[in-house]
Amino acid sequence: MPTLKFHTIKWLDGQLEILDQTLLPAQEKYVRLSDAREVITAIKTLQLRGAPLIGVAAAYAVAMAASTCRSRIEFAVTVNEIKSARPTAVNLSWAVERMLISYHTFAETPDRAERLLEQAQRIHQEDAEMCERIGVFGAELMPEDGAVLTHCNAGALATAGCGTALAVIYQAARQGKKLSVFTDETRPVLQGSRLTAWELMREGIDVTLITDSMAGHLMSRRIIDCVIVGADRIAINYDVANKIGTYSLAVLAKEHGIPFYVAAPTSTFDHQIASGIDIEIEQRDPSEVTNCGGSTIAPEHVRVYNPAFDVTPNHLITAIITDREIIRCKRWAEQTNS
Ligand code: MRU
């Protein structure tokens, strides 16, 4: 696995240090968050983002709230705000629920705040370990020599470890596979160009940036050997919510007979939701669409629709790579029979 030259999140002197991802790639700047409210704002404004990473940050935010809130009501209100900071990634509520179990378990303990901090650090550590295992499981699915397309950022920047989709690429490269990666820019907030291209270049992986609309052309010319993406929430039937544009890539991959892989830790599985139709899709501010790189790129007052995620149905997915196993989906059988 790569020895990362940056960290996304670190507990330091009673504060949460994070890499401010809104400033990348121009500036690599770490900022300190000193209370739960600052963590909520950082999650909402995408200073830190990616499903696993916001789960880890939410865990620390609950620990911070437990030590600063003066009443049970204030704590409950703050926890509710943490949980609803972003609705689609289930890792956030998964982490908060785990923290609440500890909060109640240590109700009568004088050092409850310290115990909660330890639990947040455990969640942090576990996330890094899950990333490693995803990499190991997924590497065997990567071609010996070929090109992989990825979307958004499911790398180290989206986790507390070495990533999910990108962990697979890092591990495959480590095993000597000759991979080149295509990343699409991922409008509207450009996680592909700003973050994935930056991260892969930092880690010495061959990367080529394309715009979102170029993927079909590359597939039709047989330039892409497989697609690998992350996930924000996976339903019981293995429908997958991920960054807007993922669904279109899955349809294109099926049309061209290219394997489509999803990589995600077990914390991304929602055991309460039967299928993707029930996944809440976050709607974000119109300015993300009407502005780009600080410039206005649409007429004033134009109506905007800005869903941050879409759902890829299970029948378009070849396999889901988790930290425990490779789950072979319907397209696996189709591809191995053809
Ligand atoms: O809006 P973002 O940047 O938080 O969206 C992130 C994604 O969609 C990622 O692909 C997903 O969270 C998986 S990250 C390992």
Side-chain angles (χ1 to χ4, degrees), residues 15-31:
Q15 292 182 318
L16 198 57
E17 182 177 89
I18 61 155
L19 176 58
D20 185 344
Q21 299 193 24
T22 58
L23 303 176
L24 288 171
Q27 251 191 83
E28 189 177 334
K29 186 179 171 195
Y30 291 88
V31 293

Side-chain angles (χ1 to χ4, degrees), residues 82-98:
I82 297 167
K83 209 171 162 182
S84 52
R86 294 191 73 191
T88 304
V90 74
N91 310 61
L92 199 150
S93 50
W94 170 86
V96 169
E97 290 304 332
R98 259 184 83 172

Side-chain angles (χ1 to χ4, degrees), residues 92-254:
L92 199 150
S93 50
W94 170 86
V96 169
E97 290 304 332
R98 259 184 83 172
M99 293 299 290
L100 285 179
I101 292 172
S102 299
Y103 180 80
H104 295 300
T105 306
F106 299 119
E108 308 304 328
T109 317
D111 60 351
R112 173 158 72 177
E114 289 85 68
R115 297 298 188 94
L116 283 172
L117 181 58
E118 280 167 20
Q119 177 68 318
Q121 287 170 324
R122 204 169 297 124
I123 289 172
H124 183 159
Q125 179 61 26
E126 282 173 17
D127 184 64
E129 289 164 5
M130 287 193 282
C131 291
E132 295 281 334
R133 291 199 294 271
I134 289 170
V136 172
F137 276 115
E140 70 174 70
L141 298 175
M142 295 295 105
E144 284 302 324
D145 187 346
V148 181
L149 174 65
T150 191
H151 187 63
C152 191
N153 173 267
L157 286 169
T159 66
C162 57
T164 60
L166 298 194
V168 172
I169 289 166
Y170 293 136
Q171 180 64 21
R174 208 170 163 215
Q175 290 173 0
K177 294 190 173 184
K178 292 186 183 60
L179 295 185
S180 60
V181 179
F182 284 84
T183 179
D184 41 33
E185 59 181 2
T186 319
R187 272 285 283 154
V189 202
L190 303 172
Q191 290 94 332
S193 57
R194 291 189 306 104
L195 308 178
T196 298
W198 179 84
E199 176 179 332
L200 290 174
M201 287 174 80
R202 288 284 297 251
E203 298 308 322
I205 303 281
D206 180 282
V207 58
T208 305
L209 175 64
I210 58 171
T211 68
D212 300 348
S213 51
M214 294 174 187
H217 171 69
L218 268 72
M219 290 188 199
S220 74
R221 296 294 165 102
R222 317 258 18 118
I223 293 171
I224 304 295
D225 295 292
C226 71
V227 180
I228 186 163
V229 297
D232 285 83
R233 191 183 290 242
I234 302 176
I236 292 170
N237 71 344
Y238 300 138
D239 288 351
V240 168
N242 191 49
K243 179 55 55 192
I244 191 78
T246 302
Y247 169 57
S248 322
L249 289 182
V251 173
L252 281 170
K254 180 159 191 202

